Short mmCIF file of all heavy atoms in Angstrom, two decimals:
data_model
loop_
_atom_site.label_atom_id
_atom_site.label_comp_id
_atom_site.label_asym_id
_atom_site.label_seq_id
_atom_site.Cartn_x
_atom_site.Cartn_y
_atom_site.Cartn_z
N TYR A 1303 14.93 -102.08 198.37
CA TYR A 1303 14.64 -103.39 198.93
C TYR A 1303 15.65 -103.70 200.03
O TYR A 1303 16.68 -103.00 200.17
CB TYR A 1303 14.66 -104.47 197.85
CG TYR A 1303 16.02 -104.73 197.23
CD1 TYR A 1303 16.83 -105.76 197.69
CD2 TYR A 1303 16.47 -103.95 196.17
CE1 TYR A 1303 18.08 -106.00 197.13
CE2 TYR A 1303 17.71 -104.19 195.59
CZ TYR A 1303 18.51 -105.22 196.07
OH TYR A 1303 19.74 -105.44 195.50
N LEU A 1304 15.36 -104.73 200.82
CA LEU A 1304 16.24 -105.15 201.89
C LEU A 1304 16.89 -106.48 201.57
O LEU A 1304 16.23 -107.39 201.06
CB LEU A 1304 15.47 -105.31 203.21
CG LEU A 1304 15.08 -104.08 204.02
CD1 LEU A 1304 14.48 -104.53 205.34
CD2 LEU A 1304 16.25 -103.16 204.25
N ASP A 1305 18.16 -106.58 201.89
CA ASP A 1305 18.84 -107.87 201.91
C ASP A 1305 19.02 -108.21 203.39
O ASP A 1305 19.93 -107.71 204.05
CB ASP A 1305 20.19 -107.77 201.20
CG ASP A 1305 20.96 -109.09 201.23
OD1 ASP A 1305 20.37 -110.12 201.62
OD2 ASP A 1305 22.15 -109.08 200.87
N VAL A 1306 18.10 -109.04 203.91
CA VAL A 1306 18.11 -109.35 205.34
C VAL A 1306 19.01 -110.55 205.58
O VAL A 1306 18.73 -111.66 205.12
CB VAL A 1306 16.68 -109.65 205.86
CG1 VAL A 1306 16.71 -109.97 207.36
CG2 VAL A 1306 15.77 -108.47 205.59
N GLN A 1307 20.08 -110.34 206.30
CA GLN A 1307 21.04 -111.38 206.61
C GLN A 1307 20.88 -111.76 208.08
O GLN A 1307 21.48 -111.17 208.96
CB GLN A 1307 22.46 -110.88 206.32
CG GLN A 1307 22.64 -110.44 204.87
CD GLN A 1307 23.97 -109.74 204.63
OE1 GLN A 1307 24.89 -109.85 205.43
NE2 GLN A 1307 24.06 -109.04 203.52
N LYS A 1308 20.00 -112.73 208.32
CA LYS A 1308 19.59 -113.04 209.68
C LYS A 1308 20.75 -113.53 210.55
O LYS A 1308 20.82 -113.23 211.73
CB LYS A 1308 18.45 -114.07 209.67
CG LYS A 1308 17.18 -113.53 209.05
CD LYS A 1308 16.03 -114.53 209.20
CE LYS A 1308 14.75 -113.96 208.59
NZ LYS A 1308 14.31 -112.73 209.24
N GLU A 1309 21.66 -114.30 209.98
CA GLU A 1309 22.76 -114.81 210.78
C GLU A 1309 23.65 -113.68 211.29
O GLU A 1309 24.20 -113.74 212.38
CB GLU A 1309 23.58 -115.82 209.98
CG GLU A 1309 22.84 -117.12 209.69
CD GLU A 1309 23.71 -118.12 208.96
OE1 GLU A 1309 24.90 -117.82 208.75
OE2 GLU A 1309 23.20 -119.21 208.62
N ALA A 1310 23.78 -112.65 210.47
CA ALA A 1310 24.61 -111.51 210.87
C ALA A 1310 23.80 -110.45 211.59
O ALA A 1310 24.36 -109.46 212.07
CB ALA A 1310 25.27 -110.90 209.63
N GLU A 1311 22.48 -110.64 211.67
CA GLU A 1311 21.57 -109.68 212.31
C GLU A 1311 21.74 -108.28 211.72
O GLU A 1311 21.79 -107.28 212.42
CB GLU A 1311 21.77 -109.64 213.82
CG GLU A 1311 21.39 -110.96 214.51
CD GLU A 1311 21.46 -110.87 216.03
OE1 GLU A 1311 22.05 -109.89 216.53
OE2 GLU A 1311 20.94 -111.77 216.69
N VAL A 1312 21.82 -108.24 210.39
CA VAL A 1312 21.92 -106.97 209.71
C VAL A 1312 21.05 -107.03 208.45
O VAL A 1312 20.87 -108.10 207.87
CB VAL A 1312 23.39 -106.62 209.34
CG1 VAL A 1312 23.93 -107.62 208.32
CG2 VAL A 1312 23.52 -105.20 208.82
N ALA A 1313 20.49 -105.88 208.07
CA ALA A 1313 19.75 -105.77 206.82
C ALA A 1313 20.36 -104.63 206.01
O ALA A 1313 20.53 -103.52 206.54
CB ALA A 1313 18.27 -105.51 207.07
N VAL A 1314 20.70 -104.91 204.78
CA VAL A 1314 21.28 -103.89 203.91
C VAL A 1314 20.17 -103.28 203.05
O VAL A 1314 19.42 -104.00 202.40
CB VAL A 1314 22.38 -104.49 203.01
CG1 VAL A 1314 23.02 -103.39 202.16
CG2 VAL A 1314 23.42 -105.21 203.84
N VAL A 1315 20.06 -101.96 203.08
CA VAL A 1315 19.06 -101.24 202.30
C VAL A 1315 19.67 -100.88 200.95
O VAL A 1315 20.67 -100.15 200.89
CB VAL A 1315 18.59 -99.96 203.02
CG1 VAL A 1315 17.49 -99.27 202.20
CG2 VAL A 1315 18.11 -100.27 204.43
N PHE A 1316 19.06 -101.37 199.88
CA PHE A 1316 19.53 -101.07 198.53
C PHE A 1316 18.51 -100.22 197.79
O PHE A 1316 17.31 -100.48 197.84
CB PHE A 1316 19.73 -102.36 197.73
CG PHE A 1316 20.98 -103.14 198.08
CD1 PHE A 1316 20.92 -104.20 198.97
CD2 PHE A 1316 22.19 -102.81 197.49
CE1 PHE A 1316 22.06 -104.93 199.28
CE2 PHE A 1316 23.34 -103.53 197.79
CZ PHE A 1316 23.27 -104.59 198.69
N ALA A 1317 19.01 -99.22 197.07
CA ALA A 1317 18.22 -98.49 196.08
C ALA A 1317 18.94 -98.68 194.76
O ALA A 1317 19.97 -98.04 194.51
CB ALA A 1317 18.11 -97.01 196.43
N GLY A 1318 18.46 -99.62 193.95
CA GLY A 1318 19.23 -100.02 192.77
C GLY A 1318 20.49 -100.73 193.23
O GLY A 1318 20.44 -101.67 194.02
N GLU A 1319 21.64 -100.24 192.79
CA GLU A 1319 22.92 -100.83 193.19
C GLU A 1319 23.52 -100.14 194.41
O GLU A 1319 24.51 -100.60 194.97
CB GLU A 1319 23.92 -100.75 192.02
CG GLU A 1319 23.50 -101.52 190.78
CD GLU A 1319 23.39 -103.00 191.06
OE1 GLU A 1319 24.24 -103.54 191.79
OE2 GLU A 1319 22.43 -103.63 190.56
N LYS A 1320 22.93 -99.02 194.83
CA LYS A 1320 23.50 -98.25 195.93
C LYS A 1320 23.07 -98.80 197.28
O LYS A 1320 21.89 -99.06 197.50
CB LYS A 1320 23.08 -96.78 195.82
CG LYS A 1320 23.64 -95.89 196.92
CD LYS A 1320 23.23 -94.43 196.76
CE LYS A 1320 23.80 -93.58 197.89
NZ LYS A 1320 23.41 -92.15 197.76
#
Side-chain angles (χ1 to χ4, degrees):
Y1303 67 96
L1304 282 187
D1305 179 10
V1306 180
Q1307 303 171 17
K1308 294 187 179 298
E1309 291 183 3
E1311 295 186 346
V1312 65
V1314 183
V1315 183
F1316 284 96
E1319 298 298 320
K1320 180 179 180 180

